[in-house]
Amino acid sequence: MLTQGCQLLLSSSLALLMLSPAASAGVTETFGMKCAGCHVGGGNIVQANATLSNGDMAANNIGTPEDMYNIIYMGKNKMPGFGTNCAPRGQCTFAARLSDEEVKDLATYVQERADAEWK
């Protein structure tokens, strides 16, 4: 049985994890499965000037988490969209789609990693 102090510590830790979903292993795994094929280490093997660095994102008018969400959800240029309701079909991934929450988590994760210079 957990003591009251341990229960409080566990509850506080869980609350902190819930505040920052992008810090969870789940989003890291999702990035690895869905994004890292082209964006390993924040780069871009398909389009050199479209990396996930803050400089390239700013140059490509990706200035807010909402901008990143929209690109992950709907796709842009050579990047397919991953959102559940992505359309038109040819612009979207043929693999399993991501929920709105997963897309939000990825957008947050990308911004956090870009702020840390992908280190």
Side-chain angles (χ1 to χ4, degrees):
M1 177 171 266
L2 294 174
T3 65
Q4 187 175 11
C6 288
Q7 288 175 342
L8 180 61
L9 180 61
L10 182 60
S11 296
S12 298
S13 298
L14 289 172
L16 284 173
L17 285 174
M18 290 169 52
L19 288 175
S20 182
S24 73
V27 72
T28 303
E29 184 177 312
T30 301
F31 184 87
M33 290 186 318
K34 301 288 187 180
C35 312
C38 294
H39 294 289
V40 66
N44 188 327
I45 65 166
V46 177
Q47 194 171 343
N49 64 344
T51 71
L52 300 178
S53 70
N54 281 327
D56 277 356
M57 288 191 295
N60 289 300
N61 298 315
I62 304 167
T64 66
E66 195 171 67
D67 294 335
M68 179 58 65
Y69 173 92
N70 290 332
I71 291 171
I72 295 168
Y73 196 96
M74 297 300 291
K76 182 177 179 183
N77 299 328
K78 295 176 183 177
M79 181 178 151
F82 291 90
T84 303
N85 295 315
C86 178
R89 184 178 172 141
Q91 179 60 44
C92 308
T93 183
F94 292 104
R97 304 287 178 88
L98 300 174
S99 70
D100 290 350
E101 193 64 35
E102 289 171 311
V103 174
K104 285 181 202 173
D105 289 350
L106 274 175
T108 301
Y109 175 81
V110 167
Q111 188 59 60
E112 288 174 354
R113 300 304 308 139
D115 290 345
E117 298 179 355
W118 290 88
K119 294 180 182 170

